Amino acid sequence: MGDELWHEEEALKKREVVWLKVATPLAQLAVASYAGVVAFSFIVMLPESCGSSLLVALPDDIFAIISRSLPPRDICNLSLCCKSLCALVASEKIWLTQCDVVGILSNGDLVEWRKGVSSYKALCRFLISVKPLIGIWVHQNPELGNVVYVMPGFVSVVGCRIIPQELGPLGIEDGPILWAPVFEIVGDFNGATTFFLHGKEKGCDYFYPGSVKGIDQSCNVLLLEVQPKQQNQRCKLLLSKSFAHCSEKEVSQKVCRSNSNLSRSQRGLGQSEAVVPFSKLAFSDRRKLLEVVTGQVRLKVPDAAGGPLFPHFRDDMENFGNDLAVLLERRKLLLRMYKLGGDNINWRAGPELPSDPTQIELSEIRKSLDRPSGLHGSLNGDHGHTHSNKTKTIGGYFKDSIRQILGKSSSINGSRAISKNSSSGSENRHAQLHEFLKLGDTIGLILHASTIKLSSYRAWPNMHDSRFALYKLPMQTPREDEEYAGLWGGTFGWPPGRPTEDKPGKALFFLLLSYEESRGQRILIATKILEGTHYVLHPNGSAMFIVNVDEPSLDPFPWDNDADSLPVNVKHAFSGEGIANGYGFRYPGSKPGSLFVTQNGILAFIWKESRAVLTLQRLNLPELLKKGERVPALPPIANFSYLTKSYSNVFAGFSNTSTFLSSPRLRTSKFSPSVVKPFMKIDVEPFEHFYELSHE
């Protein structure tokens, strides 16, 4: 009996320590900072304001202001101090404030998203988990640009690929930007994450459901993988999908664990996953597994789920309300498909559940791998060819040799990335497939957002050429001394975006502007991440221009008027160098030029010798995508990460892009462009010729 009392006293002491170290100082500081004289007077009037009673006696609105100074984990810790604080922390106002602190959504959007979840606490859990994914993700291939922007949808985040394209006469702001869906991460009723890969095969749109592995808060690489799972984890999976019936205490405990870097699948597998991770398999094995798994778990997109992925602008409240209603029903359908599967499902059936549609039996995987025709298609969706390792023609050996030669030059600007598949003895460094498959008896698709060591050159990461991955671009936030940092877009020519008779459409360029220190001076680097030409002119990730912001330019601006015939007022001018012909395509040179900043925020870099001008304006990608045009996706694996070396537009081919872009915006996407097959570049002379034309 004495021991029990001693343990209870120790537990009380620990809770008091939590209160004294976490709650009291921060709460008093927050009251002084935010609530001011009113809150202070209110506390002084309390007869005995000490300990937890200080916060319990506060009005909800004031405590909500105080909670802005506390991270979610500390708010969960407050609930462990006493029952009264536990009830206080369960307030919806507290978690609405925490959702606002995350900074992804406006207050109006938070209220709308709340309709799809059990509480603001569940919504906060989802927002915190997906916040690291928001931003721009890229890949080296194809060289025209592979830009995926992850943005909020509706209780979801959506990965949208910007299609390389020409800019029509309506310009960037009024002309629709073409994009294709890559993936969605949807929050369920309790804020847990569900993953849907998008893809198109044989003329049909499919979802490829999977799970989300732990999302690192500082993740810089997004990996598409498969992961084995023990069948006894099925009960845990069903428990997680029945989270709606959990008590509020259980929900609180789950939110407190939301910042953990370990997913349920990782905890289920224990230490075995660290022995044979998916990344240690040979490239051919990883490709085969992804192809077989996506072919087995795919679900045909029903008509009800083919609607918008995010709402349009609030300016038109009637259409905005209709979009939200459609999105709410679409999300319900997605979650039912994720839980129960797609085709031939009786939604009103009994309580018994079918097998997990995101998992397939490993026995089926082994049968598919053993069959030569088990793969449902090549990596890039060329269904007319099958892979065979037993026999090769002379042409096959020649193609493999070309791929090996070009694979050694996958990185740009002097990077030294080496292909892991080019060595004949690489099998000794790879894990065996059968060892990987021993980790469980089912297998499923996963999205893994992790942090790895990446070197970079001029703001462009040096990427692995054999990983099914996307890489996050570090985005500098504009500030007073770095006001031009961020994403910019534009075309060659002056006035900005003005088409001519001989060129009805102009290639659209996306550039990432960032600042660096070099030899004691600040330089501004414009890195190309997207190019809308038919065949690539400049390597992906190359610096279109570099200027010294500490060195003013004395060159005059060659034009007097802008596109609206208004006089041009140049605010700033900086000296620098722009991209030019060099040692072939991979290693471009540079020529002198100047960067001009006009009064309306337009940037114009002018090459001094050729007088060519690249005009840029700052971009707001969420707004551009909301009024953009959705086009069909590629087959699933290539849609996520296109690894084949290519210098043409593999995502969509247009016979008359500029004409399409000049048409009014369509509410439905019936435009189905043909996919252009990859193009292997051997000689650089044609591209040097295109470069010369672009500067005339």
Side-chain angles (χ1 to χ4, degrees):
M1 186 68 178
D3 292 340
E4 293 179 358
L5 292 176
W6 182 83
H7 286 300
E8 290 181 2
E9 291 177 358
E10 288 297 315
L12 289 174
K13 289 180 181 179
K14 289 182 179 179
R15 286 196 290 268
E16 290 177 359
V17 169
V18 171
W19 165 250
L20 292 174
K21 287 187 176 181
V22 177
T24 304
L26 291 175
Q28 291 173 347
L29 177 62
V31 169
S33 301
Y34 292 97
V37 177
V38 176
F40 180 76
S41 302
F42 179 81
I43 295 173
V44 171
M45 291 170 58
L46 294 176
E48 295 180 356
S49 57
C50 61
S52 62
S53 61
L54 183 148
L55 290 182
V56 174
L58 287 174
D60 289 344
D61 293 338
I62 294 180
F63 184 70
I65 297 175
I66 294 173
S67 67
R68 298 184 70 92
S69 301
L70 296 172
R73 186 178 294 276
D74 288 343
I75 291 181
C76 291
N77 288 337
L78 281 177
S79 65
L80 301 177
C81 296
C82 61
K83 292 183 179 180
S84 57
L85 282 178
C86 182
L88 180 64
V89 167
S91 169
E92 283 279 87
K93 291 183 179 180
I94 304 302
W95 291 105
L96 172 59
T97 301
Q98 287 297 309
C99 292
D100 184 53
V101 171
V102 176
I104 296 179
L105 303 173
S106 64
N107 287 331
D109 290 334
L110 288 174
V111 174
E112 297 295 341
W113 284 35
R114 169 62 179 84
K115 300 175 183 178
V117 294
S118 60
S119 64
Y120 278 117
K121 185 186 296 184
L123 181 57
C124 183
R125 174 191 181 190
F126 176 74
L127 293 177
I128 290 175
S129 63
V130 300
K131 182 180 180 180
L133 302 179
I134 303 295
I136 299 176
W137 300 77
V138 297
H139 197 277
Q140 183 68 44
N141 297 315
E143 292 287 355
L144 277 178
N146 189 345
V147 178
V148 176
Y149 183 70
V150 179
M151 61 178 287
F154 179 74
V155 197
S156 65
V157 291
V158 184
C160 306
R161 171 170 287 109
I162 314 298
I163 304 299
Q165 58 200 273
E166 291 181 346
L167 189 65
L170 296 179
I172 297 179
E173 295 182 353
D174 297 325
I177 295 295
L178 303 181
W179 63 274
V182 179
F183 65 85
E184 290 180 83
I185 297 178
V186 182
D188 67 7
F189 189 65
N190 302 285
T193 55
T194 59
F195 171 61
F196 292 89
L197 178 65
H198 283 253
K200 191 179 186 71
E201 298 182 81
K202 298 181 179 179
C204 296
D205 293 322
Y206 290 97
F207 291 137
Y208 304 84
S211 58
V212 180
K213 205 172 179 179
I215 300 176
D216 293 346
Q217 293 300 306
S218 58
C219 60
N220 59 0
V221 61
L222 205 55
L223 299 165
L224 183 65
E225 300 179 344
V226 298
Q227 180 171 281
K229 180 189 288 187
Q230 291 291 342
Q231 208 168 27
N232 57 15
Q233 297 296 314
R234 172 65 176 160
C235 59
K236 297 182 180 179
L237 178 66
L238 296 181
L239 180 62
S240 68
K241 292 183 177 179
S242 303
F243 192 34
H245 305 290
C246 294
S247 66
E248 192 68 17
K249 182 177 179 181
E250 291 170 323
V251 174
S252 175
Q253 293 174 350
K254 291 180 182 293
V255 173
C256 294
R257 294 195 299 266
S258 64
N259 290 335
S260 174
N261 289 330
L262 294 178
S263 64
R264 292 187 183 92
S265 57
Q266 285 174 302
R267 291 192 293 268
L269 289 174
Q271 300 297 324
S272 60
E273 186 193 6
V275 178
V276 189
F278 181 77
S279 60
K280 292 298 183 181
L281 295 175
F283 173 75
S284 59
D285 291 337
R286 286 183 279 125
R287 182 189 62 195
K288 290 177 182 178
L289 283 175
L290 285 172
E291 288 178 336
V292 173
V293 171
T294 53
Q296 294 287 335
V297 302
R298 67 183 184 183
L299 302 173
K300 190 174 181 179
V301 178
D303 293 338
L309 275 61
F310 37 75
H312 297 98
F313 296 102
R314 288 180 174 269
D315 299 340
D316 188 349
M317 291 304 299
E318 182 178 356
N319 287 330
F320 182 78
N322 293 335
D323 287 344
L324 290 178
V326 172
L327 286 167
L328 184 61
E329 293 302 318
R330 178 183 182 274
R331 175 177 167 272
K332 292 179 181 178
L333 177 59
L334 285 181
L335 293 178
R336 284 186 299 188
M337 292 176 64
Y338 186 86
K339 184 176 182 180
L340 303 176
D343 300 331
N344 302 321
I345 291 180
N346 183 6
W347 302 112
R348 299 181 180 180
E352 62 276 1
L353 294 177
S355 59
D356 185 359
T358 68
Q359 299 287 313
I360 54 179
E361 297 290 339
L362 276 179
S363 58
E364 297 297 325
I365 290 290
R366 293 187 178 96
K367 292 179 182 178
S368 299
L369 293 177
D370 291 339
R371 292 194 302 265
S373 59
L375 303 182
H376 67 273
S378 66
L379 178 61
N380 297 317
D382 194 0
H383 297 278
H385 302 277
T386 57
H387 298 280
S388 176
N389 295 326
K390 295 182 179 180
T391 61
K392 284 188 178 181
T393 63
I394 297 178
Y397 281 110
F398 176 75
K399 291 179 180 179
D400 290 346
S401 301
I402 294 297
R403 290 192 185 98
Q404 182 176 354
I405 294 172
L406 293 177
K408 295 179 180 179
S409 303
S410 61
S411 58
I412 67 163
N413 293 331
S415 64
R416 296 293 183 265
I418 299 176
S419 173
K420 295 185 178 181
N421 300 323
S422 59
S423 173
S424 60
S426 60
E427 292 80 0
N428 297 329
R429 302 194 304 269
H430 296 311
Q432 297 298 313
L433 180 58
H434 67 275
E435 293 292 337
F436 175 77
L437 297 178
K438 285 181 179 179
L439 299 178
D441 43 27
T442 64
I443 196 167
L445 200 64
I446 65 167
L447 184 72
H448 185 196
S450 64
T451 305
I452 64 175
K453 291 183 179 180
L454 282 177
S455 61
S456 62
Y457 184 75
R458 293 178 177 173
W460 185 257
N462 295 325
M463 309 174 191
H464 299 273
D465 59 355
S466 62
R467 290 187 179 181
F468 299 93
L470 294 169
Y471 298 84
K472 193 170 188 179
L473 277 185
M475 183 78 71
Q476 294 181 357
T477 303
R479 59 189 191 190
E480 186 176 357
D481 59 336
E482 296 181 354
E483 57 181 318
Y484 307 119
L487 182 66
W488 295 73
T491 62
F492 277 93
W494 184 271
R498 177 70 61 85
T500 59
E501 294 181 359
D502 58 334
K503 292 184 178 180
K506 293 185 176 182
L508 176 62
F509 285 80
F510 277 12
L511 305 183
L512 180 69
L513 270 60
S514 58
Y515 289 82
E516 288 187 6
E517 293 285 339
S518 177
R519 300 177 181 178
Q521 295 181 324
R522 291 187 310 151
I523 59 174
L524 179 63
I525 303 174
T527 304
K528 190 213 87 172
I529 64 174
L530 189 76
E531 177 182 336
T533 55
H534 295 286
Y535 297 103
V536 67
L537 307 182
H538 312 292
N540 203 10
S542 59
M544 293 296 291
F545 60 81
I546 301 175
V547 298
N548 186 347
V549 296
D550 296 325
E551 182 180 346
S553 175
L554 302 178
D555 295 336
F557 191 74
W559 293 280
D560 297 328
N561 300 321
D562 61 9
D564 299 323
S565 300
L566 299 176
V568 177
N569 180 19
V570 177
K571 295 174 54 179
H572 304 286
F574 309 105
S575 296
E577 294 181 336
I579 195 169
N581 287 338
Y583 298 98
F585 169 77
R586 184 60 60 184
Y587 303 99
S590 60
K591 290 185 178 180
S594 299
L595 178 66
F596 297 90
V597 184
T598 65
Q599 79 277 9
N600 55 357
I602 296 294
L603 302 184
F605 185 86
I606 301 178
W607 279 259
K608 190 172 184 178
E609 179 179 339
S610 65
R611 311 302 292 175
V613 55
L614 176 62
T615 56
L616 303 170
Q617 65 184 73
R618 191 179 291 277
L619 299 180
N620 187 329
L621 272 185
E623 291 188 2
L624 292 178
L625 289 169
K626 285 182 179 181
K627 60 184 178 183
E629 292 293 344
R630 176 176 170 179
V631 299
L634 291 184
I637 305 174
N639 192 43
F640 184 86
S641 184
Y642 196 94
L643 300 186
T644 303
K645 189 67 62 177
S646 177
Y647 299 84
S648 63
N649 194 347
V650 301
F651 298 117
F654 308 100
S655 58
N656 193 351
T657 307
S658 59
T659 302
F660 174 75
L661 288 178
S662 62
S663 62
R665 182 178 175 275
L666 303 177
R667 296 293 278 178
T668 58
S669 179
K670 295 182 180 179
F671 179 69
S672 180
S674 59
V675 176
V676 178
K677 292 185 178 180
F679 161 74
M680 300 297 293
K681 172 180 168 292
I682 305 299
D683 191 1
V684 300
E685 292 299 328
F687 299 92
E688 293 180 352
H689 176 63
F690 275 110
Y691 177 84
E692 295 289 343
L693 292 178
S694 68
H695 286 69
E696 290 182 356

